[in-house]
PDB file of all heavy atoms in Angstrom:
ATOM      1  N   LEU E 378      84.042 107.503 116.910  1.00  0.00           N
ATOM      2  CA  LEU E 378      82.886 108.045 117.557  1.00  0.00           C
ATOM      3  C   LEU E 378      82.267 109.191 116.780  1.00  0.00           C
ATOM      4  O   LEU E 378      81.088 109.331 116.636  1.00  0.00           O
ATOM      5  CB  LEU E 378      83.178 108.407 119.022  1.00  0.00           C
ATOM      6  CG  LEU E 378      83.486 107.248 119.924  1.00  0.00           C
ATOM      7  CD1 LEU E 378      83.995 107.724 121.289  1.00  0.00           C
ATOM      8  CD2 LEU E 378      82.244 106.393 120.164  1.00  0.00           C
ATOM      9  N   ILE E 379      83.143 110.131 116.362  1.00  0.00           N
ATOM     10  CA  ILE E 379      82.612 111.341 115.598  1.00  0.00           C
ATOM     11  C   ILE E 379      82.075 110.942 114.308  1.00  0.00           C
ATOM     12  O   ILE E 379      81.028 111.448 113.865  1.00  0.00           O
ATOM     13  CB  ILE E 379      83.749 112.364 115.415  1.00  0.00           C
ATOM     14  CG1 ILE E 379      84.334 112.787 116.768  1.00  0.00           C
ATOM     15  CG2 ILE E 379      83.282 113.565 114.649  1.00  0.00           C
ATOM     16  CD1 ILE E 379      85.521 113.733 116.746  1.00  0.00           C
ATOM     17  N   LYS E 380      82.635 109.887 113.610  1.00  0.00           N
ATOM     18  CA  LYS E 380      82.093 109.414 112.395  1.00  0.00           C
ATOM     19  C   LYS E 380      80.674 108.832 112.530  1.00  0.00           C
ATOM     20  O   LYS E 380      79.808 109.045 111.815  1.00  0.00           O
ATOM     21  CB  LYS E 380      82.997 108.388 111.701  1.00  0.00           C
ATOM     22  CG  LYS E 380      82.438 107.600 110.549  1.00  0.00           C
ATOM     23  CD  LYS E 380      82.152 108.486 109.372  1.00  0.00           C
ATOM     24  CE  LYS E 380      81.599 107.719 108.240  1.00  0.00           C
ATOM     25  NZ  LYS E 380      82.526 106.746 107.649  1.00  0.00           N
ATOM     26  N   GLN E 381      80.527 107.997 113.615  1.00  0.00           N
ATOM     27  CA  GLN E 381      79.246 107.337 113.840  1.00  0.00           C
ATOM     28  C   GLN E 381      78.164 108.430 114.129  1.00  0.00           C
ATOM     29  O   GLN E 381      77.014 108.187 113.759  1.00  0.00           O
ATOM     30  CB  GLN E 381      79.360 106.350 115.019  1.00  0.00           C
ATOM     31  CG  GLN E 381      80.210 105.234 114.771  1.00  0.00           C
ATOM     32  CD  GLN E 381      79.900 104.440 113.466  1.00  0.00           C
ATOM     33  OE1 GLN E 381      78.765 103.947 113.297  1.00  0.00           O
ATOM     34  NE2 GLN E 381      80.779 104.453 112.537  1.00  0.00           N
ATOM     35  N   VAL E 382      78.540 109.493 114.747  1.00  0.00           N
ATOM     36  CA  VAL E 382      77.536 110.501 115.077  1.00  0.00           C
ATOM     37  C   VAL E 382      77.254 111.442 113.890  1.00  0.00           C
ATOM     38  O   VAL E 382      76.073 111.679 113.641  1.00  0.00           O
ATOM     39  CB  VAL E 382      78.014 111.324 116.290  1.00  0.00           C
ATOM     40  CG1 VAL E 382      77.022 112.461 116.580  1.00  0.00           C
ATOM     41  CG2 VAL E 382      78.152 110.423 117.545  1.00  0.00           C
ATOM     42  N   THR E 383      78.315 111.827 113.202  1.00  0.00           N
ATOM     43  CA  THR E 383      78.071 112.811 112.142  1.00  0.00           C
ATOM     44  C   THR E 383      77.815 112.145 110.767  1.00  0.00           C
ATOM     45  O   THR E 383      77.102 112.761 109.946  1.00  0.00           O
ATOM     46  CB  THR E 383      79.341 113.722 111.953  1.00  0.00           C
ATOM     47  OG1 THR E 383      80.445 112.887 111.540  1.00  0.00           O
ATOM     48  CG2 THR E 383      79.676 114.416 113.199  1.00  0.00           C
ATOM     49  N   GLY E 384      78.388 110.951 110.520  1.00  0.00           N
ATOM     50  CA  GLY E 384      78.237 110.303 109.257  1.00  0.00           C
ATOM     51  C   GLY E 384      79.120 110.821 108.215  1.00  0.00           C
ATOM     52  O   GLY E 384      79.147 110.329 107.069  1.00  0.00           O
ATOM     53  N   SER E 385      79.894 111.895 108.483  1.00  0.00           N
ATOM     54  CA  SER E 385      80.731 112.532 107.498  1.00  0.00           C
ATOM     55  C   SER E 385      82.227 112.094 107.750  1.00  0.00           C
ATOM     56  O   SER E 385      82.768 112.451 108.838  1.00  0.00           O
ATOM     57  CB  SER E 385      80.597 114.045 107.580  1.00  0.00           C
ATOM     58  OG  SER E 385      81.648 114.640 106.823  1.00  0.00           O
ATOM     59  N   GLY E 386      82.832 111.525 106.763  1.00  0.00           N
ATOM     60  CA  GLY E 386      84.227 111.194 106.856  1.00  0.00           C
ATOM     61  C   GLY E 386      85.191 112.401 106.982  1.00  0.00           C
ATOM     62  O   GLY E 386      86.067 112.357 107.782  1.00  0.00           O
ATOM     63  N   THR E 387      84.818 113.460 106.191  1.00  0.00           N
ATOM     64  CA  THR E 387      85.684 114.632 106.217  1.00  0.00           C
ATOM     65  C   THR E 387      85.588 115.346 107.537  1.00  0.00           C
ATOM     66  O   THR E 387      86.607 115.703 108.113  1.00  0.00           O
ATOM     67  CB  THR E 387      85.281 115.563 105.092  1.00  0.00           C
ATOM     68  OG1 THR E 387      85.364 114.907 103.806  1.00  0.00           O
ATOM     69  CG2 THR E 387      86.145 116.797 105.033  1.00  0.00           C
ATOM     70  N   VAL E 388      84.378 115.566 108.009  1.00  0.00           N
ATOM     71  CA  VAL E 388      84.138 116.282 109.308  1.00  0.00           C
ATOM     72  C   VAL E 388      84.807 115.521 110.448  1.00  0.00           C
ATOM     73  O   VAL E 388      85.493 116.052 111.321  1.00  0.00           O
ATOM     74  CB  VAL E 388      82.642 116.454 109.582  1.00  0.00           C
ATOM     75  CG1 VAL E 388      82.509 117.025 111.026  1.00  0.00           C
ATOM     76  CG2 VAL E 388      82.052 117.392 108.599  1.00  0.00           C
ATOM     77  N   SER E 389      84.560 114.169 110.440  1.00  0.00           N
ATOM     78  CA  SER E 389      85.087 113.375 111.606  1.00  0.00           C
ATOM     79  C   SER E 389      86.629 113.293 111.552  1.00  0.00           C
ATOM     80  O   SER E 389      87.286 113.286 112.584  1.00  0.00           O
ATOM     81  CB  SER E 389      84.541 111.913 111.532  1.00  0.00           C
ATOM     82  OG  SER E 389      84.695 111.381 110.327  1.00  0.00           O
ATOM     83  N   ALA E 390      87.174 113.231 110.312  1.00  0.00           N
ATOM     84  CA  ALA E 390      88.637 113.145 110.205  1.00  0.00           C
ATOM     85  C   ALA E 390      89.310 114.473 110.600  1.00  0.00           C
ATOM     86  O   ALA E 390      90.264 114.421 111.443  1.00  0.00           O
ATOM     87  CB  ALA E 390      89.037 112.823 108.751  1.00  0.00           C
TER      88      ALA E 390
END
Side-chain angles (χ1 to χ4, degrees):
L378 290 171
I379 299 175
K380 169 64 180 294
Q381 293 308 299
V382 175
T383 64
S385 169
T387 302
V388 171
S389 56

